[in-house]
Amino acid sequence: MKTFAELYDRAVERKGEAELAGRLPSCKTPEELIETPDDRILAAMTQTVFSAGFVWRVIQNKWPGFEEAFGGFHPATVAGFGAEEIGQLMQDTRIVRNGQKINAAIDNAEYVLETSNEHGGFGRFLAEWPLDDTVGLWSHLHKNGKRLGGDSGPRVLRRLGRDTFILTGDVTRSMIDQGIVTKKPTSKRDLAAAQEAFSAWSAESGRPFCEISVVIASTVESSPH
């Protein structure tokens, strides 16, 4: 496993320091996360679910229509959608009319409501989850939410500004080259190895996972992170 300093130097060599700095995402403070309204949590989940396996620009362009069709994504409203509302959404040209993903939004509204009630806000739940168990948070999203497995859970967190790394093809390739894993991490053991590596790089550099993730991705020849 390489040090973060070695990886950063390689990323700068490939991208240039200015370009690399421009690609680094930002994340919210715990206080900012706590203030994130539950409707924005559900909106981020829904946007990620609808973007998966689809042309993301189409979803982005239609997003104002999604906001209107789903009543601003207030969880109590969406959780109460029944057959009539689902039928209306399936005819609504403002959105992408995918029944499974519409139902996922309703299920995720229930998840947001339950978690928010238990923790005093879903944003507080995210803020209080330990950074050194980020993969555990992914697992919680996968097990309790709908269609939030794989990279979808991490991408929801990235949209919300909650610090996380994302195991893209680029990041995975670099970790394989370093001998940290042998394939994209999916098992508990490999996910723990990925978590350990990112925690070590963060401790070394003082940088958040979101920045480290992009730096690591920039060390290999690939598509954008």
Side-chain angles (χ1 to χ4, degrees):
M1 175 174 155
K2 296 182 182 296
T3 66
F4 179 79
E6 291 173 316
L7 293 164
Y8 182 80
D9 287 346
R10 172 59 178 159
V12 169
E13 179 184 336
R14 292 197 62 250
K15 300 293 184 182
E17 195 158 18
E19 180 182 340
L20 180 62
R23 296 179 66 197
L24 298 180
S26 59
C27 54
K28 292 180 180 178
T29 65
E31 292 75 20
E32 289 171 330
L33 273 177
I34 289 171
E35 294 299 318
T36 304
D38 286 344
D39 61 280
R40 293 305 89 198
I41 305 287
L42 180 58
M45 290 179 178
T46 306
Q47 191 168 22
T48 301
V49 167
F50 272 87
S51 296
F54 204 76
V55 180
W56 67 269
R57 285 189 180 87
V58 173
I59 304 302
Q60 185 179 49
N61 291 337
K62 281 182 167 285
W63 196 248
F66 273 86
E67 290 280 353
E68 294 171 0
F70 281 89
F73 289 104
H74 296 289
T77 300
V78 179
F81 284 180
E84 181 178 351
E85 289 81 6
I86 293 171
Q88 291 172 349
L89 287 169
M90 288 297 295
Q91 300 298 320
D92 197 330
T93 58
R94 293 174 296 178
I95 69 170
V96 172
R97 291 164 289 175
N98 181 302
Q100 291 183 335
K101 294 186 177 185
I102 289 170
N103 282 313
I106 297 170
D107 289 340
N108 285 333
E110 295 173 356
Y111 170 42
V112 171
L113 273 177
E114 292 172 3
T115 305
S116 181
N117 289 337
E118 182 178 352
H119 294 273
F122 202 98
R124 182 178 296 278
F125 163 72
L126 295 178
E128 293 178 348
W129 193 285
L131 281 171
D132 61 4
D133 185 32
T134 293
V135 298
L137 179 54
W138 299 354
S139 179
H140 192 283
L141 292 169
H142 181 201
K143 291 178 179 178
N144 295 280
K146 195 74 169 182
R147 301 178 78 98
L148 298 180
D151 286 341
S152 291
R155 291 194 183 282
V156 168
L157 299 179
R158 181 68 61 83
R159 286 185 190 278
L160 292 169
R162 200 280 186 185
D163 192 19
T164 188
F165 50 96
I166 301 178
L167 297 173
T168 62
D170 299 350
V171 171
T172 299
R173 189 175 302 114
S174 176
M175 296 179 76
I176 291 172
D177 290 345
Q178 295 177 66
I180 299 168
V181 294
T182 59
K183 58 183 177 62
K184 184 177 176 69
T186 54
S187 68
K188 287 185 178 180
R189 183 178 66 178
D190 284 352
L191 287 169
Q195 176 74 70
E196 184 177 356
F198 271 88
S199 293
W201 289 325
S202 182
E204 175 195 346
S205 65
R207 291 176 179 264
F209 292 152
C210 62
E211 291 188 5
I212 296 170
S213 187
V214 173
V215 170
I216 301 305
S218 300
T219 64
V220 297
E221 296 288 344
S222 63
S223 58
H225 181 65

